[in-house]
Amino acid sequence: MENFLYGVAENTGKGFFTAEDRRNFFLRGYPADVWVVGNNPKGALWLADKGVFKSKSEAQALVDAEVQAAQTAWDALSDEEKARPGNDRPTDITLP
């Protein structure tokens, strides 16, 4: 059995997830509103309530597209804008 479940859910702000959720299952957000949750009953219920399940490959494709768009936008910046502190080129992300 997989350790994680993957899905898409829009973060609606306060109350989207709670400290109790964090204690009950692994929970991490990624670009493109992709969420990875622990594969247990509480994690599955949370994702079913908040969003839409995706396969790992579907979720990875969404993250890749978002990161590539951000990289393209960064590449289009002037050298001066690229040199600003903290303005690093977005890096590729691999889902667990």
Side-chain angles (χ1 to χ4, degrees):
M1 174 161 49
E2 295 281 331
N3 291 328
F4 301 108
L5 299 170
Y6 303 87
V8 174
E10 182 181 349
N11 185 338
T12 56
K14 188 173 182 177
F16 178 68
F17 63 85
T18 66
E20 184 177 349
D21 293 333
R22 297 294 301 246
R23 286 190 295 272
N24 289 329
F25 53 89
F26 175 87
L27 174 67
R28 183 172 297 155
Y30 292 90
D33 291 328
V34 169
W35 292 85
V36 176
V37 299
N39 188 1
N40 66 33
K42 290 182 179 183
L45 285 173
W46 180 89
L47 187 53
D49 181 53
K50 302 291 184 179
V52 177
F53 287 94
K54 298 288 183 184
S55 68
K56 182 178 181 180
S57 61
E58 290 171 324
Q60 185 67 59
L62 292 168
V63 170
D64 290 347
E66 186 87 7
V67 169
Q68 289 168 3
Q71 290 172 337
T72 299
W74 189 90
D75 291 343
L77 296 174
S78 69
D79 289 341
E80 182 179 287
E81 290 172 313
K82 290 177 183 176
R84 290 185 184 152
N87 189 20
D88 298 326
R89 187 174 194 269
T91 59
D92 291 334
I93 297 170
T94 301
L95 296 178

